Amino acid sequence: MGGDRLENKTSVSVASWSSLNARMDNRFATAFVIACVLSLISTIYMAASIGTDFWYEYRSPVQENSSDLNKSVWDEFASDEADEKTYNDALFRYNGTVGLWRRCITIPQNIYWNSQLEKTESFDVVTRCMGFTLNEQFMEKFVDPGNHNSGIDLLRTYLWRCQFLLPFVSLGLMCFGALIGLCACICRSLYPTIATGILHLLAGLCTLGSVSCYVAGIELLHQKLELPENVYGEFGWSFCLACVSAPLQFMASALFIWAAHTNRKEYTLMKAYRVA
C-alpha cells in the first residue's frame, strides 16, 4: 500500500516537472523567436545604413544656374585629386549628402538651347554622386584640410577609418551569429545561442562605436571648416538607421543569452531531480 502511494507521488512529480518543462520550453522558444526578429530588423537597418548616402546632409540656398560654374564645381568634385576641402566646399554649397561610400551634390541642370536656338534656363536640379575609393577611405586627414604641409591629424584619420570599418564588422558578426543560431535550431538546443548573443553584443558595440566616431568626426571637421553663412547641416536618415540598429542588437543579445543560460540552468536542475 505504501509502495503504491510512493509510486503515485513519483508519477505526479514527474508529470508536474514535465508540464513545467514544457512551459519553460515555450517561454524560451518565444524569447528566441523575438530575438531572431530583432536581429533580422537590426541587420536590415544596418545594411540599408551602409548602402545609402544620407548619413549627413547639408542645406544651402539655391545657387544661380550657371553652366560654366556647375561644370567647374562638378569637375573638381569628381576629380581623383579632389582633397577633403575641395569636395566639402562643394557639399556645403550644393546641398550635399555624405554616406560611408559616396558623396553627392545637387546642382541645377546646365543651360541648354531649344529647337528655336533660343537660350533658356532650366531650374530643375540633378543629383550627382562620387564614390570614395579605398585609397580615399584610408587616406590621412590633415590638421588644416587641403593643406598637405600642415601635418597629419591622427585623431580625425582614425575616426574616419573606424566609421568606415566598424559597420562592416558589425554586419559580419550578426551574420556569423545567425549561422550559429541556425545550427542551434538544427540541433534542437538553445545552449549554442549564448555564442549568438555574445556576437550580437559585440555587433552592437561596433555599431555604437561607428556612430560615435561619425559624430566626433563631423564635429571636428566643422571646427576646421566652418559652414558658410545660411548653410546648416543635420544627420540624415541613414545615420538614424544605424542609431536604431544598435539598441536592437543589444536587446537581441540579451534575449539570446537569457534564453540559453536559463534554459541550461533549468535543464540541469531537472536532470539532478530525476537522478535523485
Side-chain angles (χ1 to χ4, degrees):
M1 192 71 176
D4 292 340
R5 290 179 179 177
L6 181 60
E7 183 177 353
N8 290 336
K9 288 182 179 180
T10 304
S11 300
V12 171
S13 299
V14 172
S16 63
W17 268 103
S18 298
S19 177
L20 180 60
N21 185 44
R23 289 197 298 271
M24 288 179 179
D25 288 343
N26 290 335
R27 185 177 60 183
F28 299 145
T30 301
F32 181 79
V33 170
I34 294 174
C36 288
V37 172
L38 293 175
S39 174
L40 178 61
I41 294 174
S42 65
T43 302
I44 294 173
Y45 281 3
M46 198 69 235
S49 177
I50 293 174
T52 50
D53 310 318
F54 298 90
W55 278 66
Y56 202 84
E57 304 176 44
Y58 293 99
R59 295 288 180 265
S60 57
V62 178
Q63 302 293 328
E64 61 180 8
N65 191 9
S66 169
S67 59
D68 293 336
L69 177 60
N70 293 337
K71 185 177 185 304
S72 174
V73 169
W74 170 248
D75 289 342
E76 293 179 357
F77 184 79
S79 172
D80 293 335
E81 299 179 356
D83 55 29
E84 187 180 23
K85 187 177 186 307
T86 300
Y87 67 73
N88 272 293
D89 285 343
L91 291 172
F92 296 162
R93 184 171 183 173
Y94 289 99
N95 295 303
T97 61
V98 187
L100 297 181
W101 278 98
R102 294 198 308 175
R103 56 186 186 267
C104 303
I105 56 176
T106 302
I107 58 177
Q109 290 182 348
N110 293 336
I111 295 175
Y112 62 91
W113 295 86
N114 62 16
S115 57
Q116 285 78 27
L117 297 181
E118 295 177 354
K119 191 175 182 181
T120 61
E121 292 187 2
S122 170
F123 291 96
D124 295 333
V125 294
V126 59
T127 300
R128 297 185 176 181
C129 299
M130 186 68 185
F132 290 108
T133 64
L134 282 177
N135 185 42
E136 287 177 319
Q137 295 286 13
F138 292 97
M139 185 179 296
E140 294 85 359
K141 305 296 181 183
F142 297 99
V143 174
D144 182 13
N147 183 1
H148 293 200
N149 297 321
S150 60
I152 298 174
D153 191 331
L154 291 178
L155 179 57
R156 290 200 310 116
T157 297
Y158 286 107
L159 284 174
W160 181 276
R161 293 175 182 177
C162 287
Q163 76 184 29
F164 162 68
L165 292 174
L166 287 179
F168 291 99
V169 175
S170 174
L171 202 57
L173 288 172
M174 285 191 291
C175 292
F176 187 49
L179 291 177
I180 296 178
L182 180 62
C183 294
C185 292
I186 295 174
C187 298
R188 296 183 179 181
S189 173
L190 284 175
Y191 193 65
T193 56
I194 288 182
T196 302
I198 293 174
L199 289 174
H200 276 72
L201 177 61
L202 295 175
L205 291 174
C206 288
T207 303
L208 189 60
S210 175
V211 168
S212 301
C213 289
Y214 195 87
V215 172
I218 286 291
E219 292 299 325
L220 290 174
L221 174 64
H222 291 166
Q223 290 178 12
K224 306 288 185 179
L225 295 176
E226 294 185 2
L227 295 178
E229 187 178 358
N230 297 326
V231 175
Y232 69 94
E234 60 185 1
F235 293 100
W237 58 267
S238 300
F239 175 83
C240 294
L241 287 180
C243 292
V244 173
S245 179
L248 292 178
Q249 291 164 350
F250 288 133
M251 288 189 286
S253 171
L255 287 173
F256 279 130
I257 294 175
W258 174 83
H261 177 72
T262 310
N263 181 66
R264 182 69 176 180
K265 183 179 178 180
E266 297 295 341
Y267 174 79
T268 303
L269 290 175
M270 185 179 67
K271 187 176 180 181
Y273 175 82
R274 287 179 177 177
V275 170

